[in-house]
Amino acid sequence: QQQVKQSPQSLIVQKGGISIINCAYENTAFDYFPWYQQFPGKGPALLIAIRPDVSEKKEGRFTISFNKSAKQFSLHIMDSQPGDSATYFCAASILSGGGADGLTFGKGTHLIIQP
Amino acid sequence: DTGVSQDPRHKITKRGQNVTFRCDPISEHNRLYWYRQTLGQGPEFLTYFQNEAQLEKSRLLSDRFSAERPKGSFSTLEIQRTEQGDSAMYLCASSRNKEHGYTFGSGTRLTVV
């Protein structure tokens, strides 16, 4: 059972355009939703994260939109640049409670920004 | 803060051999995680340590896998009797607490031939 579904699998965007990646989750206990960026040969790096008490979070060119009722969240990259070309993963975990906070990742989106 | 360090970066081994990977987390981080990532997939959670205690293990972690963090600092992940299906990138991550995001290392890429 895939608990976090990510789409699209790959995405090509022109330089300066908006890149949009979507994720949907199933487990309503999830309360932490980060996005990670991964370059070839490197580990994932935290980009931005959101908790379900807000509907949007913006950091520079990166924005997370969160829809709790639909159990969906998305990453928007404004003014996309060639340096943003990477694989992006959404993830979810449970921060509240005493258990571990292991992340459940989506399958990733391979983003290419064309100059 | 020198980041999360993993060693080796690459390992090629023959089927049936044992391998051990090492992870050195960021020094003030007491939480340490191991993940496995196969080509075209997101990382999958394997196990979690808080200080030296291993508090959670995924069902993915078969009996051939064992992880330790003996002094609450570095950690090792051992795979016994490796199989071709073990070929993957093994990622280590650490964090200060739940509210802070993880810092991942660059991983150890294992190839079983």
Side-chain angles (χ1 to χ4, degrees), chain B:
Chain B
D1 181 351
T2 57
V4 177
S5 177
Q6 291 190 246
D7 183 71
R9 291 296 311 276
H10 304 275
K11 178 71 176 178
I12 300 174
T13 190
K14 292 184 178 179
R15 187 164 49 106
Q17 297 294 305
N18 299 345
V19 294
T20 300
F21 311 139
R22 177 180 170 122
C23 171
D24 287 273
I26 294 172
S27 58
E28 63 266 28
H29 288 183
N30 62 357
R31 305 168 77 90
L32 185 146
Y33 312 81
W34 284 98
Y35 282 77
R36 181 173 69 188
Q37 185 176 24
T38 54
L39 201 61
Q41 301 293 317
E44 296 172 298
F45 172 75
L46 292 179
T47 190
Y48 154 69
F49 289 85
Q50 185 162 343
N51 298 311
E52 66 275 8
Q54 186 174 19
L55 296 184
E56 187 164 327
K57 293 193 293 185
S58 162
R59 288 172 294 176
L60 293 174
L61 213 64
S62 75
D63 291 344
R64 297 184 297 105
F65 288 70
S66 63
E68 294 183 342
R69 194 182 183 196
K71 297 182 180 179
S73 56
F74 73 92
S75 176
T76 58
L77 178 67
E78 180 183 18
I79 308 175
Q80 296 183 328
R81 305 181 302 282
T82 52
E83 302 172 357
Q84 286 190 321
D86 297 331
S87 295
M89 174 79 84
Y90 289 85
L91 292 162
C92 176
S94 69
S95 71
R96 183 178 300 122
N97 54 46
K98 277 188 170 185
E99 285 67 38
H100 288 79
Y102 296 5
T103 300
F104 278 91
S106 292
T108 293
R109 180 165 295 284
L110 173 67
T111 302
V112 181
V113 297

Side-chain angles (χ1 to χ4, degrees), chain A residues 25-75:
Chain A
Y25 62 98
E26 298 170 6
N27 186 348
T28 55
F30 286 145
D31 59 3
Y32 175 68
F33 303 91
W35 284 89
Y36 281 81
Q37 179 189 57
Q38 187 175 30
F39 293 105
K42 299 291 186 182
L46 178 64
L47 202 56
I48 186 172
I50 198 168
R51 301 295 300 273
D53 53 343
V54 296
S55 60
E56 187 174 283
K57 183 174 181 180
K58 183 177 181 179
E59 290 184 2
R61 297 185 295 109
F62 301 92
T63 300
I64 298 179
S65 296
F66 184 80
N67 186 329
K68 187 175 181 178
S69 61
K71 294 188 288 184
Q72 295 176 346
F73 58 109
S74 61
L75 175 70

